[in-house]
Amino acid sequence: MLRRVNDIGAASSMRVLVRADLNAPVAGNTVADSYRLDAVLPTVKLLLAKGARVILASHMSDSSGSLAPIFEYLKTKIPLSFVDDIVGPAARAAVESLKGGNALLLQNIRHDAGEEKNDEAFAQALASLADIYVNEAFPVSHRTHASIVGVPKLIPSYAGLQFLAEVEGLTPALSPESPSLAIVGGAKFATKEKLIHTLLKKYDKLFIGGAVVNDFFKAKGFEVGRSLVSDAMHVAGLLDEPKIIMPVDVTVSSPSGRMDKDLGSVGKDDAIDDIGPKSMENLWPIIEKAKTILWNGPMGRFEDGFTRGTDDLAKMVAKSNALSIVGGGDTLSSIQNLKLMDKFTFVSTAGGAMLDFLANGTLPGIEALTKSK
């Protein structure tokens, strides 16, 4: 059973270490997308209202990157200071001078190698900054890092509001109501393999798109040209799986430009960049009848401008009456750009953590909280 941040009583001057996921995209020195930052704020504001001294710890994907731009955004939302330190003398002095109802942002915790190594000494140093710990970093709770699994062993620990929303929002996808449809996109079959096998046991249909499906095309003997592929041998055991649906046409980049082609017409000089319109037409009747839809990952090379397949899919799922659970960075970007956030039952902030939770039913970060002091 997870202890909830709501259960923390009067916290006047109590030191609360909030492991947040503030890993937002930054352009120059400005936050380009504040979605994840805004998702953390309700938990922080709840604690500040109780009079707590909140210490925010987070990482950046770039382990050498600074959280200074994140601070510039967050300081407009909450009373916040920043220290260019993690567990050293400057950080300790900043915590000591922090007043109740105020927050402090530590520097990128991945500046210390002990974080990703789950070093016990680093975990102890982090834990010593606070009286209690709150995990509000569901998107990285599939990592066995010091701030995720080490600290909860040392001080009383709780789940944040968004963390709880993620667990509660994703849990229905573990036992879908039929007829059910799972949609998997993105790249790198290896990162999706366990999830695909799990989904095949639970869902009535599984549609595969993105670069993941290129491995299936290649294994079936179709020409994939210059497309991104991993190892088609990994999918050999899935080729005759009747639950799997694949695109029948694709969008390619060719010497003649961008165009839609039937799967059998892809040439050696083509690169498959998205799924085609016929594939979307074929998918609609299944979406329309589904009672549960789970979707993770874009249908094409979204980051390079091939957004049509992902956007069309977002519109179709949004139009359905199904319980719809979606996630993944580019999937989220599509839904935000189309202003469809309120058309889905649950939209996860997580990528890899969502995949691991759906494949395993839990995460290291969840387990750490349930076994906390």
Side-chain angles (χ1 to χ4, degrees), residues 143-186:
R143 308 291 189 192
T144 53
H145 292 175
S147 67
I148 299 296
V149 300
V151 175
K153 296 178 181 178
L154 304 171
I155 53 178
S157 302
Y158 298 79
L161 298 175
Q162 181 61 31
F163 190 103
L164 291 164
E166 293 280 354
V167 173
E168 292 165 3
L170 292 174
T171 294
L174 301 176
S175 304
E177 182 181 359
S178 292
S180 57
L181 170 66
I183 303 167
V184 175

Side-chain angles (χ1 to χ4, degrees), residues 217 220 222-223 246-250 261-266 272:
F217 293 157
K220 281 181 170 286
F222 288 104
E223 178 62 59
M246 293 189 294
V248 296
D249 65 335
V250 292
K261 288 188 175 185
D262 289 335
L263 189 53
S265 301
V266 176
I272 299 172

Side-chain angles (χ1 to χ4, degrees), residues 269-351:
D269 293 327
D270 294 337
I272 299 172
D273 294 313
D274 205 349
I275 61 175
K278 292 179 184 176
S279 302
M280 301 308 299
E281 289 175 16
N282 292 346
L283 194 55
W284 170 243
I286 301 171
I287 289 175
E288 190 176 28
K289 294 177 183 176
K291 291 188 176 179
T292 306
I293 298 174
L294 170 67
W295 172 25
N296 181 280
M299 295 294 99
R301 292 199 299 117
F302 192 91
E303 70 281 5
D304 294 320
F306 293 89
T307 63
R308 184 184 65 183
T310 304
D311 288 347
D312 286 350
L313 180 56
K315 293 172 187 176
M316 293 197 314
V317 176
K319 195 162 60 173
S320 77
N321 293 317
L323 182 148
S324 52
I325 299 171
V326 301
D330 290 331
T331 310
L332 180 60
S333 294
S334 172
I335 294 168
Q336 285 180 295
N337 293 340
L338 295 169
K339 296 180 170 55
L340 294 174
M341 291 289 286
D342 62 344
K343 301 298 183 182
F344 297 85
T345 308
F346 182 70
V347 179
S348 175
T349 62

Side-chain angles (χ1 to χ4, degrees), residues 92-116:
R92 295 186 177 283
V95 170
E96 198 63 34
S97 62
L98 191 62
K99 295 180 180 179
N102 288 265
L104 169 70
L105 176 63
L106 303 177
Q107 184 55 281
N108 180 356
I109 57 174
R110 289 189 183 172
H111 283 190
D112 193 306
E115 164 64 1
E116 294 184 79

Side-chain angles (χ1 to χ4, degrees), residues 12-29:
S12 181
S13 295
M14 183 179 289
R15 300 171 304 159
V16 182
L17 176 65
V18 177
R19 176 39 165 118
D21 181 14
L22 307 177
N23 183 32
V26 173
N29 291 315

